[in-house]
Amino acid sequence: MEVVLLENAIEISKAVSSIIIEKVRKKPAAVLGFATGASPVETYKRMIEAYEKGLVSFRNVTTFNLDEYCGLPREDKNSYYYFMKENLFSKAGFDFSKVNFLSGDPEEGESCCEEYGKKIAAAGGIDIQLLGVGTNGHIGFNEPSDSFSDGPFKVRLTESTINSNSKYFTERPMPNYAFTMGVGDIMRAKKIILIATGESKAKAVYSMVKGPVTPHCPASILRYHPDATIFIDRESAKLL
Ligand code: GLP
């Protein structure tokens, strides 16, 4: 695992967007795994800018998002589908027929999990998986637990995640469950890029980089990936 320390979130977004854009220029039908949350937003802005300047086309890219809340329809402003549509897909020329999401439908969701894993494999695997990290070390919605997950599954969110994310839910209570790609799905990506900025991530960054590799800090498994890079800023690197 390579650790890259940069001055701030803007510098990180420049570096990460360049890697993604470079990949898509070399392989226009690349398969990209995307994350939601605040961490990748600046990177998405740089990708939109590059698209607007005509420097890259995402038209042939296939995407897989990491996770979705259980019980939120796509049109819900708090759904991750909505987030991706607003923050990237509709502004950077992505083909929505190549955009893949776990369903947030409580009934359909579980059966769609197995399907999702197969779809990733059928697409040839993920070329670059972008990740953030939860304050508790989660990746996607793989919460700390006694074992590492493999394929996509339904997860009960921990109190710590509910505390961190409920600020976004102003009109309705935050769901207690979500669907997420498993740790195995993430680890099968050919390249992984994780972004962690701000002091609130310092403990998670320390555990991920210096602590034991354990499912109690799911992000720590990235140390076993042959091509994983963690981009951190001064604040999130504070405890290293
Ligand atoms: C959320 C998402 C993750 C995200 C993480 C960090 O709960 N499920 O995919 O990476 O928490 O979010 P943020 O970037 O807003 O700190």
Side-chain angles (χ1 to χ4, degrees):
M1 180 165 89
E2 192 187 349
V3 179
V4 178
L5 171 64
L6 293 175
E7 200 57 43
N8 53 41
I10 299 293
E11 294 308 312
I12 291 175
S13 73
K14 288 182 193 163
V16 174
S17 60
S18 299
I19 296 170
I20 295 172
I21 290 163
E22 201 48 42
K23 179 78 205 175
V24 175
R25 284 164 98 177
K26 282 200 185 121
K27 185 181 177 187
V31 180
L32 302 179
F34 286 125
T36 51
S39 306
V41 169
E42 284 300 326
T43 296
Y44 295 157
K45 284 188 191 158
R46 305 281 94 73
M47 289 168 66
I48 294 167
E49 278 167 21
Y51 162 76
E52 284 171 344
K53 287 183 187 154
L55 301 174
V56 63
S57 166
F58 296 108
R59 200 178 51 221
N60 296 312
V61 166
T62 296
T63 74
F64 288 92
N65 256 82
L66 275 171
D67 44 17
E68 183 56 282
Y69 287 109
C70 175
L72 297 194
R74 287 185 161 187
E75 322 66 70
D76 191 295
K77 289 204 164 111
N78 282 116
S79 79
Y80 282 164
Y81 184 87
Y82 190 91
F83 176 97
M84 288 306 299
K85 187 166 73 111
E86 290 301 302
N87 285 287
L88 183 63
F89 296 149
S90 66
K91 295 180 175 147
F94 280 80
D95 174 352
F96 277 83
S97 71
K98 295 187 172 71
V99 164
N100 295 287
F101 249 85
L102 282 156
S103 167
D105 185 302
E107 305 302 322
E108 193 196 335
E110 270 176 278
S111 61
C112 139
C113 283
E114 208 186 319
E115 202 63 20
Y116 204 66
K118 285 184 188 157
K119 255 185 161 174
I120 297 173
I126 293 172
D127 290 307
I128 301 181
Q129 176 64 57
L130 190 56
L131 295 175
V133 63
T135 49
N136 62 2
H138 76 216
I139 43 176
F141 267 137
N142 288 276
E143 298 283 38
S145 76
D146 291 336
S147 59
F148 287 114
S149 59
D150 183 18
F153 69 109
K154 182 177 179 178
V155 60
R156 189 185 167 86
L157 301 173
T158 59
E159 216 179 300
S160 137
T161 297
I162 293 173
N163 287 340
S164 301
N165 291 11
S166 53
K167 60 178 179 286
Y168 298 117
F169 287 80
T170 49
E171 286 165 21
R172 51 142 71 229
M174 182 178 151
N176 291 326
Y177 287 88
F179 297 100
T180 182
M181 269 190 207
V183 169
D185 296 313
I186 294 169
M187 288 296 279
R188 281 186 282 275
K190 289 160 202 159
K191 182 180 189 66
I192 296 178
I193 297 174
L194 184 147
I195 299 174
T197 59
E199 203 179 341
S200 67
K201 300 291 170 71
K203 240 178 99 189
V205 166
Y206 177 84
S207 308
M208 167 170 59
V209 177
K210 293 260 167 83
V213 173
T214 161
H216 293 284
C217 174
S220 64
I221 199 163
L222 301 180
R223 301 226 296 273
Y224 290 157
H225 193 279
D227 187 2
T229 309
I230 314 297
F231 286 85
I232 53 177
D233 67 352
R234 297 207 172 276
E235 289 172 357
S236 66
K238 223 169 130 177
L239 301 175
L240 291 181

